[in-house]
Amino acid sequence: MGRRIAVLSLQGAFVEHEKLLGELGITCFEVRQRKDWNQPKNGLIIPGGESTTQSKLLVDLGLMDPIKDEILGGLPVFGTCAGLILLAKNMEGSPFKRLSTMNISVRRNAYGRQLGSFHARGSFAGQDIPMTFIRAPYIESVGAGVEVLSVVDGHIVAARDGNQLVTAFHPELDDCQVVYEYFARMFG
Ligand code: GLN
């Protein structure tokens, strides 16, 4: 059977992910409500956007716990930016409900709110790629067993914890397949 990836499509930059995965021959379906989630899937994308809004919608739609359960059960997941924030186990203040499945500590809006958007080039798992940061978080520290995949200006901006992959930057905005090829290897 072909591979099918669920793309959380409540808010934010989800269409761009579908385009890049489509170019790799991977089928996507959008998750907008609870019943969408029941479809068979090989992985999940949690896009960038506004993590507080996504959190509220996840709770209101009854999606927070079912998604959390499948991630803890081993479903491959890739979170970008707001998605990273939702996956992180630890965040200072922790003012809103998150999936909290990945053993990392995140700092939200870590580059400041106004001047927080910029482009950089950096190494991702050993390959030089373009990186777009938009009011991005970074990872302050990682727990045992978490692999650091990118460090830019001394800050961790990509990591993997078993079935969970996160980037603080937005690979979907740079038309660069490197991170998607990496994610695709996680679900075989
Ligand atoms: N600053 C946003 C948040 O806290 C994340 C920004 C993004 O996803 N581009 O949710």
Side-chain angles (χ1 to χ4, degrees):
M1 199 191 80
R3 296 167 299 169
R4 276 169 61 81
I5 297 299
V7 179
L8 190 66
S9 305
L10 305 178
Q11 185 266 342
F14 52 88
V15 175
E16 294 83 352
H17 286 290
E18 294 170 14
K19 177 177 167 281
L20 279 141
L21 286 168
E23 286 168 12
L24 292 179
I26 296 165
T27 307
C28 295
F29 67 93
E30 296 183 352
V31 177
R32 295 173 181 276
Q33 38 185 318
R34 178 66 184 86
K35 68 174 166 45
D36 301 329
W37 181 247
N38 295 338
Q39 300 177 57
K41 59 189 96 58
N42 302 94
L44 167 68
I45 298 256
I46 306 180
E50 191 55 45
S51 53
T52 50
T53 307
Q54 291 192 26
S55 161
K56 185 176 184 319
L57 290 167
L58 283 168
V59 172
D60 290 353
L61 294 165
L63 279 163
M64 187 71 90
D65 292 336
I67 290 179
K68 179 170 181 160
D69 287 348
E70 285 203 43
I71 294 171
L72 292 174
L75 181 73
V77 59
F78 172 27
T80 56
C81 204
L84 181 162
I85 294 167
L86 288 166
L87 288 166
K89 210 169 253 177
N90 308 301
M91 183 173 80
E92 206 177 322
S94 287
F96 53 94
K97 194 164 184 232
R98 289 168 299 112
L99 294 158
S100 304
T101 48
M102 183 163 174
N103 199 4
I104 55 175
S105 296
V106 66
R107 178 191 288 261
R108 207 179 152 218
N109 295 319
Y111 298 93
R113 279 183 177 271
Q114 299 308 322
L115 301 171
S117 301
F118 59 95
H119 295 277
R121 286 197 76 90
S123 166
F124 173 85
Q127 276 183 273
D128 182 64
I129 61 166
M131 297 177 175
T132 297
F133 294 84
I134 302 171
R135 295 191 306 111
Y138 61 65
I139 298 168
E140 288 183 311
S141 62
V142 301
V146 178
E147 191 184 348
V148 172
L149 298 173
S150 299
V151 177
V152 171
D153 289 339
H155 300 305
I156 302 168
V157 295
R160 174 179 180 176
D161 183 7
N163 58 315
Q164 304 180 65
L165 171 68
V166 289
T167 63
F169 54 91
H170 288 262
E172 78 280 11
L173 299 181
D174 277 310
D175 234 1
C176 170
Q177 289 289 11
V178 169
V179 181
Y180 295 90
E181 284 163 1
Y182 184 98
F183 182 49
R185 287 195 291 277
M186 288 170 58
F187 54 82

